[in-house]
């Protein structure tokens, strides 16, 4: 996802080249997957804008598909990161890997599409050091139901969000990529943005949040983090979770940027 595309400025331009570099890196490493960029249009006085015709031609010439997307229900409570939600509408795909534009693949990442199937989860991602989903990458199963439910939460709860109940639920704690129990509340980086919103939705509403750590997978299925102990389904990694496919995908190149001691990583995330 890149943007915003508005009539006033063209600050998106540097991200067009980042997308081209990301796509070229995947192709050079043998990826056969489609690359689709969501072009976030921010309605301003004078209306929304598009990329220049020559910029669209440059994307097409390099095999990159694009789609212009706007904020559902207007722009109130809709941060730039929330434009990523449109990925859930692409039900022509069985699975989607959503990559931040500031990410450079180091391997063919096609094997990661299987993670969602192997783990039997609609959302597979990575925790960060200072935020719940600050990895620049996750795997999702497209679903218009999830899209509608998530955008309705923004419409209903975005304006009354606070650090105590966040997107509608108190958060007793969360586990960082370094396996630290972080303090309660929605007071971390991007808690009011798309990271906090997606984490809350898949934890409490969809009850289907799967996070990859260096030594195991945590599958959070019951929609509750109440109480002193983690209410989690813990599984050793990767033996008890579709061993062959998971081992091929993850030990070939680790799909999370943290912890830094991991040597064989799948990508560089420059600002994550």
């Amino acid at each position: 996802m890149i943007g915003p595309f508005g009539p006033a400025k063209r600050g998106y331009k540097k991200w067009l080249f980042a997308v081209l570099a990301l796509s070229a890196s995947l192709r050079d490493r043998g990826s056969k997957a489609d690359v689709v960029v969501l072009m976030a249009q921010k309605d301003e006085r004078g209306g929304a804008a598009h990329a220049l015709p020559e910029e669209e031609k440059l994307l097409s010439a390099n095999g990159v598909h694009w789609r212009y997307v706007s904020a559902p229900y207007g722009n109130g409570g809709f941060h730039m990161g929330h434009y990523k939600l449109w990925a859930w509408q692409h039900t022509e795909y069985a699975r989607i890997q959503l990559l931040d534009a500031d990410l450079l693949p180091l391997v063919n990442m096609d094997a990661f599409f299987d993670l969602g199937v192997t783990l039997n989860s609609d959302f597979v991602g990575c925790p960060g050091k200072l935020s719940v989903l600050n990895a620049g990458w996750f795997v999702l199963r497209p679903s218009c139901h999830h899209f509608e439910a998530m955008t309705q939460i923004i419409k209903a709860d975005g304006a009354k969000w606070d650090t105590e109940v966040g997107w509608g639920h108190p958060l007793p704690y969360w586990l960082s990529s370094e396996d630290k129990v972080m303090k309660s509340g929605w007071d971390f980086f991007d808690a009011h943005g798309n990271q906090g919103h997606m984490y809350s939705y898949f934890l409490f509403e969809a009850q289907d949040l799967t996070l990859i750590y260096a030594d195991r997978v945590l599958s959070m299925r019951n929609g509750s983090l109440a109480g002193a102990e983690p209410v989690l389904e813990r599984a050793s990694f990767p033996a008890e979770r579709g061993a062959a496919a998971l081992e091929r995908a993850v030990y070939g190149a680790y799909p999370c940027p943290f912890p830094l001691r991991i040597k064989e990583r799948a990508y560089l995330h420059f600002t994550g």
Side-chain angles (χ1 to χ4, degrees):
M1 186 277 297
I2 63 173
F5 287 80
K9 298 180 180 179
R10 294 194 175 272
Y12 65 84
K13 190 170 184 178
K14 60 183 178 183
W15 296 111
L16 285 175
F17 294 104
V19 167
L20 292 173
L22 185 157
S23 178
S25 183
L26 287 172
R27 294 284 181 267
D28 288 348
R29 288 160 173 80
S31 174
K32 302 299 184 183
D34 289 348
V35 176
V36 181
V37 58
L38 299 175
M39 315 269 262
Q41 291 183 310
K42 192 173 181 66
D43 290 331
E44 299 174 354
R45 183 175 298 177
H50 293 73
L52 298 174
E54 55 266 34
E55 293 170 339
E56 293 179 344
K57 289 180 181 179
L58 184 62
L59 291 172
S60 295
N62 285 273
V64 177
H65 308 277
W66 74 89
R67 175 190 179 187
Y68 288 102
V69 294
S70 58
Y73 314 116
N75 287 320
F78 214 81
H79 294 198
M80 274 300 298
H82 290 137
Y83 287 79
K84 296 176 182 179
L85 298 183
W86 288 98
W88 270 270
Q89 279 202 341
H90 282 268
T91 54
E92 68 272 27
Y93 299 109
R95 297 282 170 172
I96 289 174
Q97 294 185 59
L98 206 155
L99 312 179
D100 282 1
D102 61 341
L103 185 151
L104 184 67
L106 301 177
V107 300
N108 181 346
M109 297 175 66
D110 288 3
F112 295 150
F113 286 112
D114 294 333
L115 287 177
V117 177
T118 303
L119 294 166
N120 190 27
S121 180
D122 283 359
F123 186 101
V124 180
C126 307
K129 294 187 294 184
L130 301 175
S131 183
V132 289
L133 294 174
N134 192 26
W137 166 91
F138 56 87
V139 182
L140 64 96
R141 182 180 69 84
S143 163
C144 291
H145 168 76
H146 285 325
F147 173 81
E148 182 62 22
M150 285 190 282
T151 52
Q152 285 288 349
I153 289 172
I154 293 173
K155 179 183 179 182
D157 296 331
K160 57 184 179 182
W161 185 96
D162 62 45
T163 57
E164 182 177 350
V165 299
W167 295 95
H169 301 273
L171 185 67
Y173 64 89
W174 61 278
L175 297 176
S176 75
S177 60
E178 298 172 333
D179 213 24
K180 294 180 180 178
V181 177
M182 308 300 281
K183 68 179 183 178
S184 62
W186 299 89
D187 188 22
F188 48 82
F189 173 74
D190 207 40
H192 192 201
N194 70 287
Q195 291 184 42
H197 172 241
M198 289 188 296
Y199 184 88
S200 179
Y201 173 76
F202 280 98
L203 176 62
F204 295 113
E205 309 295 337
Q207 300 185 16
D208 185 5
L209 176 66
T210 300
L211 299 180
I212 297 174
Y213 289 77
D215 60 349
R216 69 198 188 286
V217 171
L218 298 185
S219 297
M220 308 179 201
R221 304 289 187 181
N222 58 7
S224 175
L225 281 177
E229 296 296 326
V231 185
L232 305 171
E233 177 188 342
R234 288 178 177 257
S236 61
F237 181 70
E240 297 178 15
R241 287 286 185 166
L246 199 58
E247 185 170 5
R248 283 196 303 270
V250 176
Y251 283 162
Y254 189 63
C256 306
F258 308 114
L260 296 177
R261 67 177 179 271
I262 298 295
K263 293 182 179 180
E264 299 297 329
R265 61 185 68 252
Y267 57 84
L268 300 175
H269 188 206
F270 292 104
T271 60

